[in-house]
Amino acid sequence: MRPEDFTVPEPPVTPLRWQGSWRDGHLRLLDQTRLPRHETWLEHHTAETVIDDIQRLAVRGAPAIGIAGAYALVLAARGVLAGDATLSRPEFLSRLGVAAQPIADARPTAVNLPAAIERHLRLADEAPGSPEQIAAALLAAAEGLDRYELAACAAIGRYGAAWLQGRHRLLTHCNAGALVTTGIGTALAPIYVLHASGEEVFVYADESRPLLQGLRLTAYELAKAGVPHAVQADSAAAGLMRRGGVDAVIVGADRVCANGDVVNKVGTYSVALAAQRHDVPFVVAAPLSTLDATTAGGDDVPIEDRPADARAYLVPEAVPAALEAHAPAFDVTPAALVSALVSEVGVVEKPDKYLLKAWAEQARALQTADDAGR
Ligand code: MRU
């Protein structure tokens, strides 16, 4: 089947929603720390509380933190105006820039967050009119990003499904589904599309350490969508591949560097090594917003450490409290291990720096068209 012949289903869950105008609206976030047991919605009226929730992973995954950050910037603009409604345009923009920094810095590894803040600050600078009009333009930009990511998921789903069809047993690592964006996800998008189009699929979801995103979140959303699956320990992946039990691996990304290196949830590199050893295709699905053409390679990406979370999830009570945890949240998979990269503009096998440069230019053109159409 061709990409356009596949069926794109509704997302089984949506992690965030904005309600209202820039003046009186608020951001609603599904608290992912409480899933799968509790579906609790949090309401945010200030940028500071959104920053807290990005840091404690109530909202998580590369595109979702970019979108949440863009809405947080609207709340920051409102906060600046609430402090002094008589600010001149240059004073307002300068205070907005200061308020934006902690949003951009809330988490270091996924490029979507700082990239969204940088882009929307630039749009604020270029927007005509008063501070109030700039705040309204920031909300329009955040809603534009929200819609863009939703559509990107559908396109990734169709392209990925066309590439993967005939491969039924798929392994994924971490959670890169509907919970990480506003559509049907990145790595899980082709899986949802294959399933909705009547193809047989079975998903092995690595539990994912240290925060159990696979066990708690991937299993939760696959169950909601009725996709057959099993959760396994991260350390079971290589053995399953050795026995011939996996037809392809598909994962998301927090950043794809200029040379094609992929930064994703810790453990992704081990999965990629095992896939190469056993001739299993290793596919990365990511929207162009995750492409960072300004960072040369994976070694230049800041890797977040989460020792407190690691202790909470990894260390049983019987172990002394003073035990040190080594807890990088992400790792780097070299480009050479990637069989194919799927984005909203297509699939490339063996991505190289020339292609990624062309994709980065395409991403800029798409954003410009989107801004002009708003
Ligand atoms: O620490 P998290 O849960 O935010 O990490 C998320 C991941 O590593 C995902 O695999 C990644 O963001 C890709 S999903 C678009």
Side-chain angles (χ1 to χ4, degrees), residues 29-209:
L29 296 179
L30 178 60
D31 186 349
Q32 296 190 34
T33 66
R34 304 200 73 203
L35 291 174
R37 289 234 170 100
H38 305 280
E39 292 182 356
T40 312
W41 284 89
L42 306 158
E43 287 195 359
H44 291 284
H45 298 264
T46 69
E48 287 73 21
T49 62
V50 180
I51 293 170
D52 280 352
D53 271 356
I54 290 173
Q55 286 173 336
R56 69 180 191 89
L57 308 194
V59 60
R60 48 156 291 285
I65 61 176
I67 302 163
Y71 284 124
L73 192 61
V74 178
L75 296 172
R78 184 164 81 198
V80 169
L81 278 170
D84 184 351
T86 65
L87 286 177
S88 69
R89 184 189 153 94
E91 283 165 341
F92 168 77
L93 285 171
S94 147
R95 289 194 200 181
L96 183 66
V98 172
Q101 201 54 51
I103 307 174
D105 294 342
R107 290 190 74 190
T109 304
V111 73
N112 301 59
L113 179 57
I117 299 303
E118 190 190 314
R119 175 170 175 267
H120 290 202
L121 282 178
R122 202 173 58 243
L123 291 176
D125 242 355
E126 290 162 2
S130 64
E132 282 82 0
Q133 285 168 308
I134 295 173
L138 284 174
L139 177 56
E143 287 173 332
L145 179 64
D146 192 327
R147 281 193 302 274
Y148 182 89
E149 295 291 14
L150 193 148
C153 293
I156 289 171
R158 287 179 191 279
Y159 284 122
W163 198 89
L164 286 169
Q165 64 191 316
R167 296 178 168 103
H168 305 297
R169 297 160 307 167
L170 305 170
L171 186 149
T172 192
H173 189 82
C174 191
N175 170 260
L179 286 166
V180 300
T181 179
T182 42
I184 53 172
T186 58
L188 295 192
I191 291 173
Y192 287 132
V193 166
L194 286 167
H195 180 68
S197 306
E199 295 275 323
E200 185 195 325
V201 275
F202 188 89
V203 181
Y204 289 98
D206 284 356
E207 62 180 355
S208 310
R209 287 292 175 154

Side-chain angles (χ1 to χ4, degrees), residues 24 94 102 136 206 241 246 251 308 315 326 353 360:
D24 62 7
S94 147
D206 284 356
M241 287 187 233
V246 179
V251 299
V315 181
H326 168 63
K353 63 181 181 189

Side-chain angles (χ1 to χ4, degrees), residues 302-337:
I303 302 290
E304 182 180 19
D305 255 320
R306 298 190 70 94
D309 287 333
R311 267 191 293 273
Y313 280 94
L314 287 174
V315 181
E317 276 170 21
V319 168
L323 187 103
E324 284 296 318
H326 168 63
F330 302 96
D331 63 22
V332 176
T333 297
L337 296 181

Side-chain angles (χ1 to χ4, degrees), residues 23 51 56 88 165 209 214 225 249 255 273 283 350 360 367:
R23 241 182 243 287
I51 293 170
R56 69 180 191 89
S88 69
Q165 64 191 316
R209 287 292 175 154
V249 173
R255 206 183 282 232
L273 285 170
V283 181
K350 294 283 164 209
Q367 284 176 349

